[in-house]
Amino acid sequence: MADADELTAMTPAQKKLFELRMKMNAGRKANKQEVAAEHDRIKNSDKKAKKEEQYKKREEKKLVVASGKAHLNETAEVAEIKTKKAGKKEKRKAAFGWDVFNQDSLYKGYKKRLVSLPTAGKTSTAVVAASDDALGDELAYGKDDKVEEANVERMAQELEDRIKARKKFSRRRQHYEGEDVDYINGQNRIFNRKASQAFDKYTVEIRQNLERGTAL
C-alpha cells in the first residue's frame, strides 16, 4: 500500500488508477469470503437434510419392526439371499455334546455318505408288476436273498472307505503329553510359543547351559 508521500507525488490519473486497484482488491477479497460462506451453508444444509432423512428411515424401521411386519420391507431377492444363508448356516452347524447321537445328526451323516456312495443302475431283479400281490408282504421286506454281487461289492467298498476316513481323522490336541509346561494360562501359552519361535535360535544354548548349571 502506498504511503502519503507517494500519493501526493501521483498525478490525478495515477491516483484514480490506484483507487480502482484498491477497489478491485477489496471486491476480490469480499467475493472469496462470500464463496467460502456459501459453500459452508450448502454443506451444512446437505448434512442436516441427510441426518433428517436417516432419522426418518430409522423411525420408520422401528415402527415396522414393532408391528411385526419387517419382512414387508424386504425385496424378494433379499429374502432369498437370507433364506440361503440360513440354510447354509444350519448345514454347517456342528452338533454339540450328546446331540451328536440324535436323529438329526445321524440323518445328516447319512446324507453325507450318500453323496460319495455310487448309485446302482437297473437290476435284473427289479419289480415289474405294480399290483399289491406283486409287491408282496411288507413284513417280509429285506428277506429276499437274491442280491447281486455288484451291490455287495459296492456296500463293502463304502464301508472300507469309511474306515480309512476314520483313520485319517485326527482331532487337534490342546496339549501333548511330554510337552514342557512353561505357561500359566492359554494366553500365556500362545505368547510363549511365539516368543520361542522368534528367539529360540538365539537363546536355546543359553537356556540349556542354565538348566545344566554350566553357564559362564
Side-chain angles (χ1 to χ4, degrees):
M1 187 174 179
D3 53 12
D5 295 336
E6 291 179 352
L7 288 175
T8 55
M10 288 181 181
T11 62
Q14 289 176 337
K15 287 182 180 180
K16 187 68 174 178
L17 180 61
F18 176 75
E19 291 175 357
L20 289 174
R21 286 177 177 174
M22 294 299 294
K23 288 181 180 180
M24 288 175 62
N25 291 337
R28 189 182 297 110
K29 184 177 180 180
N31 190 27
K32 286 184 178 180
Q33 292 176 350
E34 184 60 28
V35 169
E38 184 179 3
H39 178 267
D40 293 338
R41 286 196 301 270
I42 294 174
K43 188 176 180 180
N44 293 333
S45 63
D46 290 343
K47 284 184 177 180
K48 185 177 180 181
K50 190 175 182 180
K51 287 183 179 179
E52 290 178 353
E53 185 178 358
Q54 290 176 349
Y55 176 77
K56 185 178 179 181
K57 287 183 178 180
R58 285 197 301 267
E59 292 299 320
E60 289 177 354
K61 285 184 178 180
K62 288 180 181 179
L63 292 175
V64 173
V65 172
S67 64
K69 298 180 180 180
H71 60 281
L72 297 179
N73 285 343
E74 295 179 354
T75 62
E77 185 179 1
V78 173
E80 184 180 2
I81 292 173
K82 285 187 176 181
T83 303
K84 288 182 178 180
K85 285 184 178 180
K88 289 181 180 179
K89 186 176 181 180
E90 185 66 23
K91 288 181 180 179
R92 291 195 301 264
K93 186 171 65 175
F96 178 77
W98 290 103
D99 289 339
V100 296
F101 302 110
N102 63 21
Q103 295 299 320
D104 292 337
S105 297
L106 295 176
Y107 181 61
K108 286 181 181 179
Y110 170 72
K111 288 199 297 184
K112 288 181 180 179
R113 289 174 57 192
L114 288 182
V115 173
S116 59
L117 186 65
T119 56
K122 291 184 178 180
T123 61
S124 59
T125 58
V127 178
V128 179
S131 62
D132 294 339
D133 295 336
L135 291 175
D137 187 6
E138 292 182 356
L139 297 178
Y141 177 78
K143 293 184 178 180
D144 188 6
D145 58 351
K146 296 179 181 179
V147 181
E148 294 186 0
E149 188 67 23
N151 293 341
V152 177
E153 292 294 335
R154 286 173 55 247
M155 183 188 70
Q157 184 62 39
E158 195 271 339
L159 292 175
E160 290 179 0
D161 293 340
R162 287 185 62 197
I163 293 173
K164 291 179 181 178
R166 286 177 180 175
K167 289 181 178 179
K168 291 180 180 179
F169 176 77
S170 62
R171 181 169 56 88
R172 185 175 181 180
R173 305 293 177 182
Q174 295 295 328
H175 176 71
Y176 295 95
E177 294 184 4
E179 181 184 13
D180 293 336
V181 179
D182 58 352
Y183 51 87
I184 58 175
N185 52 36
Q187 187 176 4
N188 181 241
R189 177 171 174 263
I190 295 173
F191 175 82
N192 290 347
R193 186 175 70 246
K194 291 182 178 180
S196 177
Q197 291 174 354
F199 300 106
D200 264 3
K201 56 185 177 181
Y202 307 111
T203 61
V204 62
E205 185 177 357
I206 298 174
R207 185 173 68 249
Q208 290 175 354
N209 290 334
L210 290 172
E211 291 174 353
R212 290 194 300 263
T214 58
L216 297 177

